[in-house]
Amino acid sequence: KRQELKRIYLKPQGEKVDFSKPLIIRDQETVADVATRVGQVLKGKKSAYVWGQSAKFPGQLVSNEHVLKDEDVVSFR
């Protein structure tokens, strides 16, 4: 089965989202997978804030196991 690829955008704390540089992830990758890729350490952190299709509302605080959707914006705090 072919893996679907998704575009995820990172929002550094206090900065704007750079929509010109998406992070490409595979289908079913989670917040924890993205954190590992970008060198973010989640130990002791609640996790991340997400805007986009996978969030119930803009800026939702989600768990490490949250599965991201295409064009979601993720911010680690």
Side-chain angles (χ1 to χ4, degrees):
K1 185 185 168 212
R2 200 165 154 252
Q3 286 268 328
E4 186 179 317
L5 297 177
K6 298 176 184 176
R7 295 159 293 183
I8 301 299
Y9 300 98
L10 300 175
K11 182 187 181 312
Q13 193 171 352
E15 295 180 36
K16 292 192 170 168
V17 181
D18 184 355
F19 288 106
S20 69
K21 296 179 182 169
L23 177 67
I24 306 300
I25 66 168
R26 289 183 184 86
D27 200 25
Q28 299 304 309
E29 284 199 49
T30 64
V31 167
D33 296 325
V34 171
T36 301
R37 276 204 197 188
V38 298
Q40 194 61 249
V41 179
L42 292 180
K43 281 186 180 153
K45 291 188 181 178
K46 286 279 187 205
S47 190
Y49 294 89
V50 174
W51 292 261
Q53 291 182 12
S54 74
K56 291 182 179 137
F57 54 87
Q60 181 184 2
L61 180 62
V62 297
S63 74
N64 295 339
E65 290 80 40
H66 182 81
V67 177
L68 296 162
K69 292 190 177 174
D70 190 39
E71 297 192 330
D72 276 355
V73 173
V74 179
S75 180
F76 296 100
R77 303 278 161 92

